[in-house]
Amino acid sequence: MKRLIFCLIITFSSVNLHPQSPQKMSYQSVVRNTSGVLVTNHSVGIRISILHGSSSGAVVYQETYSPDPQTNANGLVSIEIGGGIAITGIFSAIDWESGPYFLKTETDPSGSTNYTIVGISQLLSV
């Protein structure tokens, strides 16, 4: 009778994984004017800021868009944060690990730079 001997060799290797910083982020919003009416099929002015530390923190990145994004028939506007015209900072250079970070959106429903709608929310990972 022959014996079969199996030898299991397990090797462990160390792999350092580094999360990749986003180069762009998708953003969508429904735009309403100051009377609460949907702004449909219209160019809107948008300025995006990334704030560090708190909702009133320092601006580490800010951008606008040209041409202005346009809402659809439902008042929805879609942009890629990091794909606009940088005013302050470099999006790909944001040190996301040193957060928290907050997203400040400013919108002008008339398509100019008189930003009358302002929102701030914390950016959270998923």
Side-chain angles (χ1 to χ4, degrees):
M1 176 189 241
K2 293 184 181 180
R3 288 187 182 184
L4 295 176
I5 299 175
F6 292 96
C7 180
L8 178 60
I9 299 173
I10 300 175
T11 60
F12 294 95
S13 64
S14 174
V15 177
N16 292 327
L17 299 176
H18 299 283
Q20 184 177 7
S21 296
Q23 301 304 308
K24 292 182 185 176
M25 290 188 299
S26 296
Y27 178 81
Q28 292 184 319
S29 178
V30 172
V31 180
R32 295 178 183 273
N33 64 20
T34 55
S35 301
V37 177
L38 284 174
V39 177
T40 59
N41 301 313
H42 195 273
S43 293
V44 292
I46 297 179
R47 179 168 60 193
I48 297 291
S49 302
I50 306 291
L51 310 175
H52 183 245
S54 71
S55 60
S56 60
V59 174
V60 295
Y61 180 76
Q62 187 175 71
E63 71 182 10
T64 59
Y65 300 86
S66 181
D68 290 333
Q70 182 154 338
T71 60
N72 67 13
N74 298 311
L76 182 71
V77 65
S78 300
I79 60 173
E80 290 184 339
I81 300 171
I85 300 166
I87 305 300
T88 302
I90 300 169
F91 187 78
S92 62
I94 297 172
D95 181 10
W96 296 106
E97 292 181 10
S98 73
Y101 287 96
F102 292 77
L103 177 68
K104 180 178 182 181
T105 59
E106 298 171 277
T107 307
D108 179 353
S110 70
S112 188
T113 58
N114 182 27
Y115 304 111
T116 57
I117 303 168
V118 178
I120 300 175
S121 59
Q122 185 173 359
L123 292 169
L124 303 172
S125 61
V126 291

